[in-house]
């Protein structure tokens, strides 16, 4: 990009194509002027979808880990942060959409059946958790927005909230997302407790 066409004080999101950041890693984006690279805030993002994940990647966590490494982790050596910008799962039936909740331990915990979205969802959570990948879940909405109009007000089958937008619709979904939120790698400094002073008279 030419310096004159972009402002370097803005944050730019560059989305990967076809479920992969490989192409972005091959041609990383830099903002230059007079052959000098200028500082800019760039984040590479990638959507993850059950429908686009090859079945062979879902045989085991080891298989999914290799797939995730090739598509996300290796290209993460880009000169900018990388995040999973969107992923989601259905909520009902819970057994095939989310799976059982409980303590997460990828190597020992039985996975949901092959071919279910729950299996893909849990494998992705394992990877996000192990490698401390930043992410955002799509979506929090309890109902569809007015676009497209024919679905206005219909319940969102992947939304974190119920159709009233007042309560969590699936405690199982929230529990798995909480597991993915836990910092595992490169966590920030621990904030010490506030000092207290005792005064005697």
């Amino acid at each position: 990009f030419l310096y004159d066409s972009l402002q370097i004080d803005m944050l730019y999101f560059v989305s990967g194509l076809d479920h992969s950041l490989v192409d972005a890693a091959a041609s990383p984006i830099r903002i230059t002027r007079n052959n000098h690279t200028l500082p800019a805030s760039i984040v590479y993002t990638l959507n993850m979808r059950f429908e686009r994940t090859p079945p062979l990647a879902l045989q085991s966590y080891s298989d999914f880990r290799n797939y995730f490494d090739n598509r996300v982790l290796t290209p993460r050596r880009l000169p900018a942060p990388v995040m999973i910008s969107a992923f989601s799962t259905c909520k009902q039936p819970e057994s095939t959409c989310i799976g059982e909740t409980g303590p997460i331990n990828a190597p020992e915990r039985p996975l949901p059946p092959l071919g279910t979205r729950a299996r893909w969802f849990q494998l992705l959570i394992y990877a996000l958790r192990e490698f401390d990948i930043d992410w955002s879940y799509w979506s929090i909405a309890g109902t569809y927005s007015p676009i497209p109009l024919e679905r206005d007000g219909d319940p969102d089958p992947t939304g974190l909230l119920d159709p009233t937008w007042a309560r969590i619709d699936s405690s199982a979904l929230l529990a798995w997302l909480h597991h993915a939120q836990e910092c595992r790698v490169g966590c920030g400094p621990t904030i010490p407790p506030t000092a207290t002073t005792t005064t005697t008279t």
Side-chain angles (χ1 to χ4, degrees), residues 2-66:
L2 298 177
Y3 172 73
D4 292 338
S5 65
L6 294 174
Q7 298 181 33
I8 62 173
D9 59 348
M10 294 184 67
L11 177 63
Y12 296 95
F13 289 87
V14 181
S15 182
L17 300 176
D18 195 25
H19 223 194
S20 174
L21 285 171
V22 173
D23 290 340
S27 302
I29 292 176
R30 295 181 176 88
I31 301 177
T32 62
R33 184 182 186 188
N34 298 328
N35 295 322
H36 293 288
T37 300
L38 300 173
S41 297
I42 297 175
V43 176
Y44 288 87
T45 68
L46 184 68
N47 293 348
M48 300 292 289
R49 295 177 58 191
F50 168 64
E51 296 83 2
R52 301 295 297 274
T53 305
L56 288 177
L58 301 176
Q59 296 294 316
S60 67
Y61 179 61
S62 177
D63 293 321
F64 187 83
R65 195 180 188 278
N66 290 336

Side-chain angles (χ1 to χ4, degrees), residues 4-164:
D4 292 338
S5 65
L6 294 174
Q7 298 181 33
I8 62 173
D9 59 348
M10 294 184 67
L11 177 63
Y12 296 95
F13 289 87
V14 181
S15 182
L17 300 176
D18 195 25
H19 223 194
S20 174
L21 285 171
V22 173
D23 290 340
S27 302
I29 292 176
R30 295 181 176 88
I31 301 177
T32 62
R33 184 182 186 188
N34 298 328
N35 295 322
H36 293 288
T37 300
L38 300 173
S41 297
I42 297 175
V43 176
Y44 288 87
T45 68
L46 184 68
N47 293 348
M48 300 292 289
R49 295 177 58 191
F50 168 64
E51 296 83 2
R52 301 295 297 274
T53 305
L56 288 177
L58 301 176
Q59 296 294 316
S60 67
Y61 179 61
S62 177
D63 293 321
F64 187 83
R65 195 180 188 278
N66 290 336
Y67 168 79
F68 195 77
D69 179 65
N70 292 331
R71 296 287 181 126
V72 180
L73 298 181
T74 299
R76 191 167 59 160
R77 300 186 181 97
L78 288 159
V82 169
M83 70 173 291
I84 304 301
S85 56
F87 70 98
S88 66
T89 187
C90 51
K91 295 177 289 189
Q92 296 296 331
E94 193 171 282
S95 59
T96 58
C97 288
I98 302 168
E100 296 181 3
T101 58
I104 289 183
N105 194 333
E108 288 83 20
R109 182 184 175 88
L111 290 168
L114 276 168
T116 63
R117 187 179 292 268
R119 188 183 187 94
W120 168 86
F121 177 68
Q122 291 191 12
L123 288 171
L124 178 57
I125 294 294
Y126 291 152
L128 296 175
R129 178 181 166 90
E130 177 182 356
F131 298 106
D132 198 31
I133 301 293
D134 294 327
W135 54 268
S136 59
Y137 180 81
W138 185 274
S139 68
I140 195 174
T143 57
Y144 284 110
S145 66
I147 302 174
L149 293 175
E150 63 270 16
R151 300 169 77 177
D152 183 16
D154 289 347
D156 187 335
T158 68
L160 194 57
L161 297 178
D162 72 359
T164 69

Side-chain angles (χ1 to χ4, degrees), residues 177-200:
L177 294 178
H178 277 170
H179 281 304
Q181 282 183 312
E182 181 182 352
C183 180
R184 305 279 291 178
V185 180
C187 302
T190 301
I191 301 176
T194 302
T196 58
T197 303
T198 303
T199 303
T200 58

